[in-house]
């Protein structure tokens, strides 16, 4: 077995039943994804729309493609026909644009709201308050072709496991708050996307349902 296949198998074996592995294959060639596919992997995460679309076209159609990168409104149309889940939605404007492209593609696109939980400065992600405000306003309920499937977050890049654990904990608690307030009768709101190669065991302990693991499976990326 190749390194890729061994890693996939060993991660899959240790995941609790309610947690799914998103194999983050960004910047890796088609052959690497084929190896993962041969090991049974069917969910892949990519961060560039064009790269994801090229891979989608080249690979078997039973793969679920998750977009985990930062979204540009003008690129959404290219993935709207096939993307299975968009992880990083951080504005109402993006939700609206995804909805528009989903209507054209005649499907409903599941989305996760990205929440900024790390201490690090970042332009990306709603603050807790911004997210509450957007949901409270209610206009998202009129978007007929998106489905808000949960939340996504990234912890601070640090060796301090206490900080990571607190940040994941805060996302888990916020998920529960939002579920109770806005989605209590909607079983589709169920995902907490958190945890990467270096911190996914902590994320699972804090309630993650989707771990996004790249370098541990595919090795270092050449950006
Ligand atoms: C690249 C990336 C990952 C995977 O990170 P690794 O440390 O390689 O596991 C996960 N989530 C997001 C949003 C990413 O951009």
């Amino acid at each position: 077995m190749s390194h890729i296949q061994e890693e996939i198998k060993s991660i899959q074996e240790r995941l609790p039943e309610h947690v799914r592995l998103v194999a983050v294959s960004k910047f890796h060639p088609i052959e690497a994804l084929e190896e993962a596919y041969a090991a049974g992997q069917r969910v892949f995460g990519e961060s560039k729309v064009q790269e994801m679309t090229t891979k989608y076209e080249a690979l078997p159609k039973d793969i679920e493609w998750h977009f985990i990168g930062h979204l540009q409104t003008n690129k959404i149309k290219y993935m709207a026909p096939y993307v299975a889940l968009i992880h990083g939605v951080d504005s109402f404007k993006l939700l609206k644009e995804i909805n528009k492209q989903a209507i054209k593609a005649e499907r409903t696109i599941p989305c996760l709201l990205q929440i900024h939980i790390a201490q690090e400065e970042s332009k990306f992600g709603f603050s807790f308050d911004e997210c509450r405000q957007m949901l409270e306003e209610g206009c998202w309920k009129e978007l007929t072709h998106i489905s808000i499937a949960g939340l996504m977050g990234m912890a601070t890049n640090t060796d301090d496991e206490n900080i990571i654990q607190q940040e994941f904990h805060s996302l888990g608690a916020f998920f529960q708050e939002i579920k109770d307030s806005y989605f209590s009768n909607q079983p589709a709101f169920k995902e907490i996307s958190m945890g990467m190669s270096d911190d996914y065991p902590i994320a699972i302990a804090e309630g993650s349902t989707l771990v996004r693991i790249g370098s541990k499976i595919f090795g270092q990326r050449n950006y």
Side-chain angles (χ1 to χ4, degrees):
M1 250 196 303
S2 74
H3 171 79
I4 291 175
Q5 295 179 334
E6 275 169 18
E7 282 297 337
I8 297 240
K9 290 216 151 58
S10 95
I11 296 168
Q12 288 283 19
E13 272 164 20
R14 278 174 224 153
L15 289 186
E17 219 169 301
H18 64 278
V19 182
R20 292 196 300 152
L21 169 63
V22 180
V24 175
S25 47
K26 60 188 184 194
F27 309 115
H28 291 284
I30 302 267
E31 298 76 54
L33 285 78
E34 282 171 339
E35 282 188 35
Y37 185 90
Q41 185 62 30
R42 293 294 181 270
V43 184
F44 291 89
E46 289 282 337
S47 62
K48 297 268 186 286
V49 174
Q50 193 158 23
E51 180 180 345
M52 182 166 80
T53 303
T54 304
K55 289 172 173 172
Y56 160 75
E57 284 166 357
L59 287 162
K61 293 297 171 283
D62 62 342
I63 291 175
E64 254 187 49
W65 294 97
H66 288 207
F67 187 77
I68 62 166
H70 190 64
L71 274 171
Q72 293 167 279
T73 46
N74 60 337
K75 300 277 173 66
I76 295 169
K77 59 173 176 281
Y78 300 113
M79 63 173 165
Y82 70 90
V83 68
L85 183 64
I86 299 180
H87 286 237
V89 181
D90 64 358
S91 69
F92 178 70
K93 183 173 158 245
L94 280 171
L95 273 183
K96 229 168 85 177
E97 185 60 27
I98 296 167
N99 186 61
K100 186 171 143 193
Q101 298 302 333
I103 290 170
K104 285 190 191 162
E106 299 184 10
R107 53 189 298 257
T108 296
I109 300 181
C111 298
L112 303 180
L113 303 177
Q114 182 174 354
I115 310 295
H116 182 67
I117 54 171
Q119 294 174 341
E120 295 152 333
E121 284 289 323
S122 158
K123 322 192 271 290
F124 305 135
F126 288 102
S127 68
F128 293 130
D129 270 339
E130 286 165 351
C131 185
R132 287 185 188 107
Q133 224 170 61
M134 195 273 289
L135 292 170
E136 190 56 37
E137 273 209 333
C139 300
W140 58 276
K141 291 178 190 164
E142 287 153 32
L143 304 176
T144 51
H145 286 60
I146 55 121
S147 136
I148 299 180
L151 306 179
M152 179 267 212
M154 275 193 268
T156 303
N157 185 7
T158 170
D159 290 332
D160 188 337
E161 298 201 343
N162 285 319
I163 293 177
I164 296 170
Q165 189 259 334
Q166 281 168 28
E167 290 172 354
F168 285 153
H169 188 81
S170 75
L171 188 61
F174 190 62
F175 172 86
Q176 203 51 55
E177 175 196 320
I178 294 302
K179 181 154 184 69
D180 293 344
S181 305
Y182 301 101
F183 299 97
S184 56
N185 57 354
Q186 294 185 38
F189 187 86
K190 63 177 170 39
E191 306 287 8
I192 308 179
S193 169
M194 60 184 185
M196 314 191 349
S197 289
D198 292 333
D199 58 18
Y200 75 93
I202 307 173
I204 290 171
E206 292 299 333
S208 174
T209 65
L210 286 169
V211 289
R212 310 178 309 268
I213 302 182
S215 46
K216 188 171 163 55
I217 296 170
F218 294 106
Q220 289 309 318
R221 294 175 287 270
N222 311 307
Y223 293 91

